[in-house]
Amino acid sequence: MASAAPFASPANAPLRRSPPPPPRLRRFHTFSRKLRPAPAAVTSKVEPDPAITDCQVTTGGPPAAAGAAPKLLDDSEIEPRGVRDYIDWSRDLVRPDGGPPRWFSPLECGSREKGSPLLLFLPGIDGVGLGLIRHHQRLGKVFDIWCLHIPVMDRTPFEGLVDVIERTVKSEKSCAPNKPIYLVGESIGACIALAVAARNPDIDLILILANPATSFRESQLQSLSVLLDVVPEPLHISIPYFLNFIAGNSLRMSSTYTGSELSLSKAAWGLSESLADILPCISFLVDILPKESLLWKLKMLRSASFYVNSRLHAVKAQALILASGRDQLLPSHEEAERLCSALPSCRIRHFKDGGHSIFLEGGIDLLTTIKGAGYFRRSRQLDYVSDYLLPTPDELQKTTEQYRWIDLAMSPVMLSTLEDGKVVRGLTGVPLEGPAVLVGYHMLLGLELGPLVTRLFLERKIHLRGIAHPFMFDRASELLMLDSSSFDGYRLLGAVPVSAANFYKLLSRNSFVLLYPGGAREALHRKILLDYDDLVNLPFYDILDKRINQDAVRLRTDATGEVGKQALYPPILSPKIPGRFYFLFGRPIETRGRREELRDKYKARQLYMHVKSEVENCITYLKEKREKDPYRNILPRLLYQVAHGYTAEVPTFEL
């Protein structure tokens, strides 16, 4: 373990709006690289902590998620942080001591699980190292977090800072050669991360880059350095854009802002808090960025931009760029697109309302972003099963809200079958104990997935893991989407790429697995206004078809006939009045105790045909019954909801 500095830490973090603590109280562990001993042994395999598997079921109280572990982190444990906390905590660090750049670890990050990868935070132009203060508590559960602090009067050049990070990376890699190292950098910190990656292409690094300063030449900061030469200190804080180094969008940085809609009282409190934070921000900026230090860091930004841009071709590491749409210091949106085209393993997540200091703003959860992009792993290769982190209640709520319109428009009918064959309303007939495979039939565009996954979780506490098309995980596919985060919700809920290995791993963990044998062809139906056979005859469509199907992962390439028609394409839909979704879960087919029997290909084929016939029987049953549903059309459903409320369950046919 790292040696603790001679600082005491408070037993509990200060409550919201408490005054700054006395100087003797500290919130950090600081340590020297020389004092960190190598482990007694280096294992060749990282074993996941049992707490993050998805095969446990809790008992007592409300039913726990079947096939799922307890949630990763109770959101009620997280104390909200804002820019005021950043300022209060930073005062413990920015006192001049003449020391060099150093690492520290916030005490609230100390409850991580065994085998957590290392995360090195590289600060922006402020250099304090507390830019992740809003994320410490959640990130600290799954990462070993070290933050870099660059003293105010330190004059280490850019390449010197790169050397500091590089030595740390190499040392830690020698201690844990099979674990990745995360470099999270904002602004100039992102430049440092890119430089380290360029100089060490053989080290397994994952870069999280927030508004990288590689676009310095095209930024407002160019003119800022000219103005600083003629403005005396401390009047340099009055220069336009200066407050954007820290303050940015002050309302989004208040502790009450979470990104969701606020009540009038909370909005008023957030506004008053943000206004109250402006004066402390100005005073604090003078402390951490006096004129001399600011001029030095602007010169370093210029050299950092030149250094990194000349070496982008050498960066081989995975990179995730977080780009703000309202960054008033850097053209971050455009720069993210440029870097993505230059880096071979890069993806982008856009935050259209974000400012320059995006990590200090509410409504942005870094851990959720990393999970949704598929960038969390504990070893050299991503394992979609063992590396999966369960969604928190907040993540689940935000993800399911995306499908709320389907519930309102389609009023899904949920039916299930008991062991005696009786069909009942609701999901009572769905077993609670895994492992289990749910075999079904896709509706158009797979729109049934949202209601299916959310209803099973809310009503039966079953965490359903979907076997999904590799298109949803491929970088080339993501670049084709209007929104690069289109598939993040599916990954957060546990979708995995279709493969025999993933299927086996999920079942071995007692998971509930959703399988659609019809695949992409079934979801696209080939029965729409313009299907694949029509589109391929259109001029220039072959270019898009190549990008979708030839450059991406393809399935069932060895199959013939209708089964082999798995080409993906953007369907052209004909207008249609929304109908209603009907779900029927058939009687469970038990396979326990039949392992040896099912090794016989003939017996396995019989089981396959049995499952197929059950799916067909369920479809036939629903097609007959829906004709007797008085609320099958949307107009009667709307009238019923107007009379009884939009949350009321709309009746259906008699069973």
Side-chain angles (χ1 to χ4, degrees), residues 124-142:
I125 199 169
D126 63 290
V128 175
L130 282 172
L132 292 180
I133 189 170
R134 297 188 79 127
H135 310 271
H136 285 164
Q137 296 168 76
R138 291 206 61 213
L139 289 173
K141 294 293 183 180
V142 295

Side-chain angles (χ1 to χ4, degrees), residues 132-170:
L132 292 180
I133 189 170
R134 297 188 79 127
H135 310 271
H136 285 164
Q137 296 168 76
R138 291 206 61 213
L139 289 173
K141 294 293 183 180
V142 295
F143 288 108
D144 180 5
I145 300 178
W146 298 7
C147 304
L148 181 67
H149 172 63
I150 306 172
V152 174
M153 302 310 294
D154 180 75
R155 295 296 179 263
T156 304
F158 176 75
E159 291 190 48
L161 293 175
V162 174
D163 290 338
V164 171
I165 313 307
E166 186 176 43
R167 286 195 299 269
T168 302
V169 165
K170 289 182 176 180

Side-chain angles (χ1 to χ4, degrees), residues 25 63 89 92 105 125 206 208 246 263 272 279 349 392 414 464 467 509 511 611-612:
L25 297 181
W89 287 42
D92 292 339
S105 181
I125 199 169
I206 299 178
I208 310 296
I246 301 297
S263 64
S272 64
L279 287 179
R349 292 298 178 267
T392 63
M414 295 285 179
L464 193 59
I467 300 293
R509 289 175 173 246
S511 299
V611 173
K612 181 180 179 181

Side-chain angles (χ1 to χ4, degrees), residues 14-320:
L15 297 176
R16 181 73 222 139
R17 298 271 63 84
S18 62
R24 71 177 186 277
L25 297 181
R26 305 297 181 190
R27 305 176 177 90
F28 320 109
H29 282 312
T30 61
F31 46 85
S32 166
R33 289 298 312 119
K34 296 181 180 179
L35 298 178
R36 182 179 175 88
V42 177
T43 59
S44 60
K45 181 179 180 181
V46 178
E47 295 294 340
D49 191 295
I52 57 167
T53 61
D54 56 353
C55 61
Q56 302 173 6
V57 181
T58 59
T59 58
K71 57 181 178 250
L72 179 66
L73 177 63
D74 185 354
D75 291 343
S76 64
E77 298 174 359
I78 299 178
E79 183 179 352
R81 306 289 189 201
V83 70
R84 176 71 65 87
D85 300 289
Y86 168 81
I87 294 172
D88 291 347
W89 287 42
S90 296
R91 295 192 189 280
D92 292 339
L93 291 169
V94 299
R95 295 183 179 91
D97 59 9
R102 70 207 69 169
W103 296 105
F104 71 90
S105 181
L107 292 180
E108 60 183 351
C109 298
S111 58
R112 62 185 177 276
E113 62 187 26
K114 182 180 178 181
S116 298
L118 177 64
L119 185 151
L120 303 179
F121 175 64
L122 313 177
I125 199 169
D126 63 290
V128 175
L130 282 172
L132 292 180
I133 189 170
R134 297 188 79 127
H135 310 271
H136 285 164
Q137 296 168 76
R138 291 206 61 213
L139 289 173
K141 294 293 183 180
V142 295
F143 288 108
D144 180 5
I145 300 178
W146 298 7
C147 304
L148 181 67
H149 172 63
I150 306 172
V152 174
M153 302 310 294
D154 180 75
R155 295 296 179 263
T156 304
F158 176 75
E159 291 190 48
L161 293 175
V162 174
D163 290 338
V164 171
I165 313 307
E166 186 176 43
R167 286 195 299 269
T168 302
V169 165
K170 289 182 176 180
S171 174
E172 293 306 308
K173 178 54 65 174
S174 67
C175 296
N178 296 311
K179 290 195 295 185
I181 295 178
Y182 285 74
L183 299 182
V184 179
E186 59 176 347
S187 186
I188 192 170
C191 292
I192 297 174
L194 285 167
V196 172
R199 287 163 54 161
N200 300 274
D202 296 328
I203 295 182
D204 185 11
L205 299 174
I206 299 178
L207 312 181
I208 310 296
L209 312 174
N211 300 324
T214 47
S215 59
F216 178 81
R217 290 186 177 181
E218 291 77 30
S219 71
Q220 301 286 349
L221 298 177
Q222 284 277 61
S223 57
L224 182 60
S225 58
V226 177
L227 290 174
L228 280 173
D229 291 332
V230 297
V231 177
E233 190 172 9
L235 296 180
H236 65 289
I237 63 172
S238 64
I239 295 177
Y241 307 113
F242 187 80
L243 276 176
N244 283 285
F245 282 124
I246 301 297
N249 187 329
S250 55
L251 178 59
R252 291 174 62 88
M253 291 184 175
S254 66
S255 62
T256 55
Y257 186 83
T258 60
S260 56
E261 294 184 3
L262 297 177
S263 64
L264 184 60
S265 59
K266 287 186 176 181
W269 171 255
L271 180 60
S272 64
E273 181 183 346
S274 63
L275 292 175
D277 288 342
I278 292 179
L279 287 179
C281 274
I282 294 175
S283 173
F284 181 65
L285 278 172
V286 175
D287 293 337
I288 66 170
L289 289 176
K291 181 178 175 180
E292 180 187 353
S293 295
L294 184 56
L295 282 169
W296 165 261
K297 293 188 176 183
L298 288 175
K299 291 178 181 178
M300 187 165 61
L301 273 174
R302 184 180 293 107
S303 62
S305 177
F306 177 80
Y307 183 96
V308 172
N309 282 316
S310 63
R311 291 166 173 80
L312 283 179
H313 63 279
V315 178
K316 309 301 179 185
Q318 273 186 285
L320 178 63

Side-chain angles (χ1 to χ4, degrees), residues 36 64 67 95 104 140 147 236 297 362-363 394 435 470 526 539 542 548 563 575 610 652:
R36 182 179 175 88
R95 295 183 179 91
F104 71 90
C147 304
H236 65 289
K297 293 188 176 183
D394 184 61
R526 286 180 171 260
D542 59 323
I548 295 176
V563 177
H610 181 195
T652 185

